[in-house]
Amino acid sequence: MPEAVTLSRRTLLKVSALSGGGFALSAAIPMVARAAAVSGEAAGTLNAFVTIAADNTITIVGKNPEIGQGIKTMLPMLIADEMDADWDQVKIVQGDTDAAKYGPQLAGGSFATPMNWFPMRQVGAGARQMLLEAASRRWGIDSAKLTTKLGKVIDPASGRSLTYGELASDAATVAVPDLAKVPLKSPKDFHIIGRAIGGIDSPKIVKGEPIFGVDTQLPGMVYAAFERAPVFGAKLVSANLDAVKAQPGVIDAFIVKGNGNAEELVDGVAVIAKNWWLADQARKKLTIEWDNGEWAGHSTKLYDQTARKLMADAKPQEVFASQGDVDAAFASAAKVLDAEYSYPFLAHVPMEPMNCTALCHDDGSMEMWAPSQTPQGGQGGVAKMLGLTPDKVKVHITRMGGGFGRRLNNDYMHQVAAIAKQMQGKPVQLIWSREDDVRSDFYRPAGWHRLRAALDEKGNIAGLEDHFITFEIPGPGAYNPAAMSKDEFPGKFVPNMRYAQTKLETRVPMGAMRAPTSNAMAFVMQSFLDEVAQASGKDLPTLMLEIVDGAEKEPDSMGFTGPQPGFNPGRLRAVTKKALEMSGWGKAMPEGHALGFGYYYSHMGYFAEVVEASLEGGRVNVHNVWAAGDVGSQIINPHGALNQVQGSIIDGIGQALSLAIEIEGGAVKQSNFHDYPVPRIPVTPKIEVEFVLSDNSPTGLGEPALPPVIPALTNALAALTGKRIRSLPIDVKQLV
């Protein structure tokens, strides 16, 4: 049975005529499957909006935020293909935040593809059916005898045709079809899906057109810089506002009191000026007294010392997954492997720093221009903070210069709203400097793992345990965006397993980063399994295939996007074999070069990758990466898909080679790209990508290609030097 994600296919359409001719189509798709599984939770809705003008222009709303992942192009492709539209006649516009019209609008977790694969196609199929019906009335012919092609309805018997623009006004009077009876296309008939189409905004970006959040310009707009405490959790005591107000170009300066929640609003001082440079210069004159509390004593060094002591001496706070008799497995083991792995805090650093523009109208309502990955969350949060209903906060979604998960948190929206409220009637643009961005992030949490494996006489894994040291911020709603899953591979395939953890208290804000959890766990688990393989006299791919030998596909489960397929060992095998084939695994390598393998399953995508690396002049060189991925039956836009995989791999290599955020005195030590060196062109290898198609609904590509490249690189270095990298970023001194 295919593993198709069975999102509800019951779509409700609404149609209306346009005053200038044409029609507009909106769609509400109740996700009844998910709603039924979540007791007490209201059904979510997805919506799309299609407009056909008399001149044949088809305008499709891109409802989700665009952060560079290509969703503004990809989702309309689904609608346009089912409509049989001519892509050259399609115009795409970004929708504003409107849950009632569009349903969930978010960019994160590689969710967009599985959430929208069926619903967006249904919108297009419904529109096509209405156009067929309009032509049927015009010609007096059964619509079943008509067909469509490239924006036209065609009568095959006579050869006559009508364009969608000519039919649009009539179509607006047609009854909305029952989509349960409107068939979707066979994949063999796709003419837009599967085409490599460039990003709809790419020409504008190349020409430097002002489409990003920071490009927002409004009449009479003023600019704000916001100074917050360097130490996380600190409270403002006093500030020399009068001295700052006297600086050139400064319009005002005032204290903003927060609620202590970093995801909403923390204490700070807003400096308002006629341009941002003057505001930023003036804030350098600030003298602020902060109450740093106990948090000023926190540091990376302290966290590391505490974690290693806990792993060595103490029992875990809790065991969160176990099976079999782990202690007996270790007592009878022929060989025991014991290793500690660790990784640092990481910052997101998208190219466009945080910014947002807000206007508080005379009636107290707020209008915002927000580069947010979760604009509906920001809308609700700002409304709550200001005591407004959500409909009194209007949010325009702007294009974003990257996100990688940073813009899932809307603290900058809260800040500018709080500032704009005090500047009522005057639009305010808040811009963070790069230093603000690096030092006020929601960081990928650091983590430590003590792993032990019990091997039997044949080298099989008889027992496995992991003591994971992680973080928590106590309080309501506390969560860890890098929490370890009870299903972390290979736990469920080992007869005796115990996963446990201990949490350290912190005030360092934590947030999801591209491939959350997986971006660290892949390094830890795949590196340790490489050690196990080496101790057993085999290579990692062989061990991986042995671990899942004979295993069957797991049952489907309910996920965020609705029912999702269970883990399928067959897909692991397929991508592993493809990556080995692509790289020529086992071939003779040039002197000083070595190959390493890594695999990971995350966000419903299966990826196996091989890295070719060398050491030269005290530097790690990554020459080639071969990546094989299975994200379902269809690559919707091969252009965007390739970009996502290549970008993920470059991101992962950067994390492995050089990135770390350090805490000193309760604050972030790094400040800009000179001491947080994101990967640049010289470290970018040749990347070869192949997709393994399978009988599954398509899933997303923003995340799953990143995790395996990190262990593939460290495993290559282990093969090259015989020395194991167990802590990131890679310290070359450990290899020579």
Side-chain angles (χ1 to χ4, degrees):
M1 178 180 176
E3 300 171 14
V5 176
T6 52
L7 291 175
S8 168
R9 297 184 65 181
R10 182 165 65 88
T11 304
L12 307 178
L13 297 182
K14 293 187 293 186
V15 66
S16 57
L18 298 178
S19 58
F23 86 164
L25 180 70
S26 66
I29 301 99
M31 298 181 70
V32 292
R34 178 170 181 251
V38 184
S39 177
E41 181 176 315
T45 57
L46 281 175
N47 297 265
F49 194 81
V50 178
T51 303
I52 302 176
D55 67 355
N56 294 315
T57 299
I58 300 173
T59 301
I60 301 177
V61 172
K63 71 184 188 67
N64 281 14
E66 174 63 64
I67 53 175
Q69 82 281 40
I71 203 67
K72 188 177 175 183
T73 306
M74 189 273 274
L75 292 185
M77 287 173 65
L78 302 179
I79 297 172
D81 200 314
E82 290 288 349
M83 286 183 68
D84 259 346
D86 182 346
W87 184 253
D88 289 339
Q89 295 175 336
V90 171
K91 175 184 176 184
I92 300 172
V93 297
Q94 178 66 60
D96 286 338
T97 300
D98 191 331
K101 181 183 290 184
Y102 303 123
Q105 295 171 278
L106 76 160
S110 297
F111 292 136
T113 299
M115 290 178 76
N116 292 289
W117 168 245
F118 280 124
M120 294 299 101
R121 290 174 60 202
Q122 286 179 303
V123 170
R128 175 179 176 272
Q129 185 60 42
M130 296 169 75
L131 290 158
L132 283 168
E133 189 60 31
S136 170
R137 292 181 182 180
R138 184 84 65 92
W139 290 329
I141 301 174
D142 185 347
S143 63
K145 296 180 179 179
L146 303 176
T147 187
T148 55
K149 186 175 182 180
L150 295 178
K152 295 179 180 179
V153 177
I154 300 169
D155 174 12
S158 66
R160 57 186 170 176
S161 65
L162 289 167
T163 68
Y164 286 179
E166 292 172 320
L167 291 167
S169 294
D170 289 352
T173 67
V174 171
V176 174
D178 178 359
L179 289 190
K181 299 178 181 177
V182 177
L184 297 178
K185 278 185 174 180
S186 167
K188 65 180 176 53
D189 295 324
F190 290 155
H191 70 292
I192 295 174
I193 295 172
R195 280 174 53 187
I197 296 177
I200 194 70
D201 287 335
S202 296
K204 296 178 182 177
I205 294 171
V206 171
K207 289 188 289 186
E209 293 187 21
I211 62 173
F212 295 96
V214 76
D215 295 323
T216 302
Q217 290 286 311
L218 297 172
M221 190 170 78
V222 297
Y223 296 81
F226 186 67
E227 182 73 8
R228 51 181 288 175
V231 175
F232 299 114
K235 298 177 181 177
L236 189 147
V237 177
S238 64
N240 61 334
L241 298 179
D242 289 341
V244 175
K245 290 178 181 178
Q247 297 302 308
V250 171
I251 297 169
D252 201 355
F254 47 84
I255 291 172
V256 176
K257 293 299 291 182
N259 61 4
N261 185 344
E263 296 186 30
E264 297 174 0
L265 187 64
V266 296
D267 289 358
V269 175
V271 180
I272 316 297
K274 58 185 180 181
N275 68 49
W276 183 79
W277 174 257
L278 291 174
D280 194 52
Q281 292 300 304
R283 77 164 167 162
K284 295 176 182 175
K285 303 296 183 182
L286 276 169
T287 301
I288 302 177
E289 181 184 355
W290 300 101
D291 176 3
N292 292 327
E294 64 178 292
W295 308 109
H298 281 226
S299 68
T300 293
K301 183 178 181 180
L302 175 63
Y303 292 145
D304 186 69
Q305 291 173 342
T306 304
R308 295 192 185 281
K309 188 173 186 301
L310 285 167
M311 289 191 294
D313 301 333
K315 292 183 178 180
Q317 286 177 341
E318 61 174 327
V319 174
F320 60 91
S322 66
Q323 62 190 22
D325 188 338
V326 178
D327 295 329
F330 278 94
S332 62
K335 181 183 290 186
V336 172
L337 299 183
D338 190 331
E340 292 182 1
Y341 281 82
S342 65
Y343 43 86
F345 288 102
L346 291 179
H348 299 80
V349 292
M351 281 299 106
E352 180 192 17
M354 301 305 106
N355 67 89
C356 191
T357 304
L359 171 61
C360 183
H361 293 287
D362 292 341
D363 64 357
S365 64
M366 192 68 67
E367 186 170 6
M368 309 185 76
W369 292 258
S372 168
Q373 292 180 243
T374 52
Q376 293 171 352
Q379 180 186 42
V382 168
K384 181 181 178 182
M385 180 182 74
L386 299 180
L388 301 172
T389 55
D391 63 301
K392 296 297 183 184
V393 179
K394 183 176 181 61
V395 179
H396 307 284
I397 302 173
T398 68
R399 170 95 192 197
M400 282 163 267
F404 315 111
R406 172 59 181 90
R407 290 184 162 96
L408 295 170
N409 300 95
N410 293 305
D411 50 329
Y412 51 96
M413 289 183 68
H414 288 77
Q415 290 170 10
V416 74
I419 295 168
K421 185 179 181 182
Q422 298 200 43
M423 304 291 293
Q424 192 166 17
K426 189 174 289 294
V428 179
Q429 185 172 88
L430 170 69
I431 303 176
W432 288 20
S433 66
R434 177 60 61 195
E435 288 76 11
D436 293 330
D437 197 52
V438 171
R439 291 176 167 168
S440 301
D441 203 345
F442 291 82
Y443 304 91
R444 193 286 300 274
W448 296 259
H449 297 257
R450 182 181 179 185
L451 285 156
R452 299 176 71 226
L455 308 186
D456 64 20
E457 292 181 349
K458 296 180 179 179
N460 299 316
I461 305 175
L464 177 69
E465 70 173 357
D466 183 3
H467 182 185
F468 175 34
I469 311 296
T470 184
F471 290 99
E472 68 173 352
I473 300 176
Y479 89 113
N480 183 341
M484 183 177 170
S485 168
K486 63 182 177 59
D487 294 328
E488 186 63 45
F489 188 89
K492 64 177 68 175
F493 297 98
V494 176
N496 306 288
M497 175 274 289
R498 180 165 56 220
Y499 287 163
Q501 65 184 4
T502 300
K503 298 175 182 176
L504 305 179
E505 188 172 345
T506 186
R507 275 295 181 279
V508 178
M510 300 183 292
M513 174 176 279
R514 190 176 200 173
T517 296
S518 311
N519 54 36
M521 292 306 306
F523 159 66
V524 172
M525 288 300 186
Q526 288 286 295
S527 296
F528 187 62
L529 287 176
D530 195 52
E531 292 195 61
V532 171
Q534 189 176 40
S536 304
K538 60 190 75 168
D539 62 20
L540 179 56
T542 300
L543 176 64
M544 293 292 293
L545 296 176
E546 288 179 357
I547 288 173
V548 299
D549 185 38
E552 301 290 335
K553 175 188 171 298
E554 297 175 355
D556 295 352
S557 61
M558 189 59 64
F560 180 77
T561 62
Q564 63 183 47
F567 177 75
N568 189 335
R571 300 175 76 179
L572 179 158
R573 296 185 194 102
V575 296
T576 297
K577 291 177 180 177
K578 174 57 72 174
L580 299 186
E581 172 190 314
M582 293 167 63
S583 63
W585 183 262
K587 67 185 178 184
M589 298 300 297
E591 181 68 23
H593 289 224
L595 298 181
F597 175 85
Y599 155 84
Y600 210 70
Y601 166 66
S602 70
H603 297 77
M604 294 187 275
Y606 298 73
F607 267 84
E609 298 172 10
V610 175
V611 164
E612 178 185 353
S614 69
L615 272 175
E616 184 177 355
R619 186 180 65 189
V620 173
N621 295 314
V622 182
H623 302 277
N624 289 287
V625 178
W626 295 271
D630 176 357
V631 288
S633 61
Q634 181 69 56
I635 303 302
I636 298 170
N637 184 353
H639 180 85
L642 181 63
N643 290 346
Q644 285 296 296
V645 175
Q646 291 175 331
S648 295
I649 287 171
I650 295 168
D651 261 2
I653 291 172
Q655 292 176 14
L657 291 179
S658 57
L659 297 182
I661 287 292
E662 301 168 274
I663 306 299
E664 285 187 358
V668 169
K669 176 182 177 182
Q670 285 69 29
S671 62
N672 209 316
F673 290 137
H674 70 284
D675 53 8
Y676 194 75
V678 296
R680 293 169 167 81
I681 289 175
V683 305
T684 302
K686 181 180 179 182
I687 301 171
E688 184 178 335
V689 180
E690 288 197 31
F691 292 104
V692 179
L693 301 182
S694 59
D695 189 17
N696 303 280
S697 292
T699 52
L701 271 169
E703 333 266 342
L706 188 154
V709 74
I710 300 174
L713 173 55
T714 56
N715 291 341
L717 295 173
L720 182 66
T721 67
K723 297 176 181 177
R724 181 66 59 179
I725 294 293
R726 297 195 179 96
S727 182
L728 295 179
I730 295 169
D731 182 356
V732 179
K733 295 191 293 295
Q734 296 179 5
L735 299 172
V736 295

